[in-house]
Amino acid sequence: MIVVISGSPGTGKTTLAKYLAKKLGFGFIEAGEIFDELGKKIKNRKKLDRAVNKKIKTLVKKNKNYVLDSRLASFLLKANLKIFLVGDINIRAKRMAKREKISIAKAKKNILERERKDKRAFKKYYPKIRNIESYDLVLDTTRLSKKEMFDLVFLFVKKVI
């Protein structure tokens, strides 16, 4: 089974994906790490996305049960369950600032820049992507603690699998 966690920066994607992988006994893949690693060698965005996708597919073949933290995997892989997280920009910036030990203003600027770049790249290379209706669950994490998010998503996952 492949579960993909996607969403906006600062919504808890990685935290949730790691938690679910551990709770379910699944492998964990963070596409962002693969993207950063391969991005040192591959500068063309579309080629880079393809290389990341290829590496993820290779990893998934080794073990059929994975939770992926990825913004593109839900569209490029056949996932059994797709979850998308959203949240208020100010709360996301506060979370990111705490995690990365930077100011909230800097975190907010980083989030907006990243979203702008991603939107431009997705529009250029994947014009049909970002259709939120293709997700099985869309969750606003703005007012949720980690535990509340974990409990809600785990309940949903257990119902589906």
Side-chain angles (χ1 to χ4, degrees):
M1 167 170 258
I2 298 173
V3 178
V4 175
I5 310 294
S6 190
S8 307
T11 55
K13 290 183 313 297
T14 304
T15 302
L16 177 61
K18 286 179 180 177
Y19 166 81
L20 271 182
K22 184 175 180 180
K23 187 90 170 163
L24 296 169
F26 286 10
F28 169 71
I29 298 173
E30 187 173 358
E33 283 185 4
I34 297 170
F35 185 91
D36 291 344
E37 174 191 317
L38 296 176
K40 293 173 186 171
K41 302 172 197 157
I42 305 168
K43 299 303 176 196
N44 177 279
R45 177 63 189 256
K46 189 158 189 168
K47 288 180 182 177
L48 177 57
D49 288 344
R50 284 185 183 148
V52 169
N53 191 42
K54 185 177 178 181
K55 180 151 187 172
I56 289 171
K57 284 182 177 181
T58 301
L59 292 170
V60 168
K61 283 182 184 175
K62 292 178 184 176
N63 175 359
K64 300 290 183 206
N65 295 317
Y66 270 102
V67 177
L68 281 82
D69 168 9
S70 172
R71 289 192 297 269
L72 280 175
S74 59
F75 298 100
L76 303 177
L77 293 173
K78 287 192 175 195
N80 303 91
L81 185 59
K82 298 181 280 186
I83 300 168
F84 192 88
L85 304 180
V86 297
D88 176 80
I89 182 66
N90 295 312
I91 299 301
R92 294 186 293 132
K94 201 182 276 187
R95 290 173 183 163
M96 188 176 280
K98 183 178 177 184
R99 181 183 71 221
E100 296 181 12
K101 296 174 179 36
I102 58 176
S103 72
I104 294 172
K106 174 86 169 144
K108 187 173 183 177
K109 182 181 175 194
N110 290 351
I111 289 170
L112 293 172
E113 177 66 16
R114 189 161 139 198
E115 288 178 338
R116 186 186 60 76
K117 283 180 179 178
D118 283 349
K119 186 176 182 178
R120 189 174 61 229
F122 291 169
K123 187 176 182 179
K124 181 176 180 180
Y125 299 119
Y126 310 100
K128 295 182 180 168
I129 286 186
R130 305 313 274 174
N131 183 355
I132 203 120
E133 290 83 26
S134 67
Y135 288 89
D136 301 297
L137 174 67
V138 177
L139 181 65
D140 185 339
T141 64
T142 301
R143 293 178 185 87
L144 300 176
S145 68
K146 284 181 193 177
K147 183 180 180 338
E148 290 168 330
M149 176 178 65
F150 293 162
D151 291 347
L152 282 169
V153 173
F154 189 69
L155 179 67
F156 180 78
V157 170
K158 291 307 281 182
K159 283 253 187 217
V160 173
I161 62 171

